[in-house]
Amino acid sequence: MVAEYGDIIVCAPDGGRSGKSCSFSMEALRLQHIKTEGNVQTWACSGTPVDCVKMAYAKLCTRKPALILSGINHGDNASTNAHYSGTVGVVTEGAIKGIPSIAFSLCDYDEDADFEPMTDTVKKLVEKILKDGMPKLSFLNVNFPKTEKPAGAKVCRMAHGHWRNEVEQCTHPTRGYDYYFMCGYYQNDEPDAEDTDAWALAHNYVAITPISVDITDFEYYKALSKEIK
């Protein structure tokens, strides 16, 4: 989808790493070359998504990358989900390193999900960021609805929401002890707010959310600074 834009290094986990966020590994890691086709190198790393960025940057790149792309993830990483996402963890690490970074996710969990409808938007964003760059410490979190033809694209803020009924308890049928599954469902706490990523996806739009890795609450900072001397 983006091979035409320059030399590509793909460094991805060697298995599923959902929910790893910005975690990185303290144990030894493996880095395995899978193949090289034309201008695209493909490598597998035994660690987390963030490990992949660190390994590629330190051991595979001969210069500072012009752009880091993450995904395409199966399932959305909008709203609260962005905080848990390994896909978003990749671009968080990229932004920390001062590299323009974009995360892509599709609201489709099917292993054979069709990514083709995303092509035009992906290319437009890649071309724009390669040309114009990105503010320091910022990245883009881009989520696509499951559709052959999106209604358009909207620049959005993150929706306010949370997960409910997150833990399911079960009893082992023969050993008698309890064990637990992380599960639940996402609740949008502001479903009528039309400026959010959750609203955009629910109405068939591509949601483009600019995010900063500087998590300072500046409004609270200003208020607190007046009260505490």
Side-chain angles (χ1 to χ4, degrees), residues 74 106 108 110-118 145-148:
H74 291 261
L106 174 65
D108 189 346
D110 194 321
E111 291 185 2
D112 298 320
D114 182 13
F115 298 128
E116 186 62 30
M118 303 175 63
K146 182 181 178 180
T147 180
E148 293 183 1

Side-chain angles (χ1 to χ4, degrees), residues 1-228:
M1 194 178 287
V2 296
E4 65 191 87
Y5 296 108
D7 295 327
I8 309 294
I9 295 176
V10 178
C11 187
D14 57 9
R17 301 289 192 275
S18 292
K20 293 299 183 180
S21 188
C22 292
S23 65
F24 64 93
S25 302
M26 302 298 291
E27 67 271 14
L29 298 174
R30 299 184 306 277
L31 185 63
Q32 180 183 4
H33 179 246
I34 304 301
K35 62 181 178 180
T36 297
E37 294 183 355
N39 63 326
V40 180
Q41 299 179 42
T42 303
W43 297 76
C45 174
S46 61
T48 69
V50 165
D51 288 332
C52 292
V53 180
K54 293 179 180 292
M55 292 286 280
Y57 190 70
K59 295 300 180 182
L60 303 178
C61 295
T62 57
R63 57 175 173 78
K64 188 174 184 177
L67 183 64
I68 289 178
L69 302 179
S70 181
I72 300 166
N73 185 68
H74 291 261
D76 81 87
N77 281 311
S79 184
T80 306
N81 297 330
H83 295 292
Y84 305 121
S85 166
T87 302
V88 177
V90 165
V91 291
T92 301
E93 182 68 19
I96 290 171
K97 286 179 163 50
I99 304 169
S101 302
I102 312 173
F104 294 106
S105 302
L106 174 65
C107 297
D108 189 346
Y109 290 93
D110 194 321
E111 291 185 2
D112 298 320
D114 182 13
F115 298 128
E116 186 62 30
M118 303 175 63
T119 302
D120 288 345
T121 301
V122 170
K123 288 187 173 183
K124 286 178 181 178
L125 286 173
V126 167
E127 290 172 2
K128 173 177 173 49
I129 301 307
L130 286 175
K131 177 184 176 183
D132 299 334
M134 194 175 288
K136 184 179 180 181
L137 298 180
S138 294
F139 63 84
L140 294 180
N141 183 28
V142 183
N143 289 274
F144 289 79
K146 182 181 178 180
T147 180
E148 293 183 1
K149 189 174 182 181
K154 291 177 68 71
V155 178
C156 312
R157 65 174 175 86
M158 293 175 65
H160 300 163
H162 65 283
W163 281 80
R164 297 178 61 99
N165 298 340
E166 294 182 278
V167 179
E168 180 178 346
Q169 181 176 345
C170 302
T171 301
H172 195 283
T174 58
R175 298 180 182 177
Y177 59 77
D178 291 336
Y179 57 99
Y180 304 87
F181 291 101
M182 294 293 110
C183 54
Y185 62 93
Y186 170 75
Q187 176 177 304
N188 184 357
D189 293 336
E190 44 179 358
D192 297 324
E194 297 183 9
D195 61 340
T196 70
D197 50 9
W199 188 95
L201 292 172
H203 291 80
N204 215 34
Y205 286 91
V206 178
I208 303 172
T209 306
I211 298 177
S212 173
V213 299
D214 182 348
I215 58 176
T216 305
D217 184 333
F218 285 99
E219 289 188 10
Y220 191 29
Y221 163 81
K222 292 176 183 178
L224 202 60
S225 295
K226 295 177 182 178
E227 299 173 7
I228 301 177

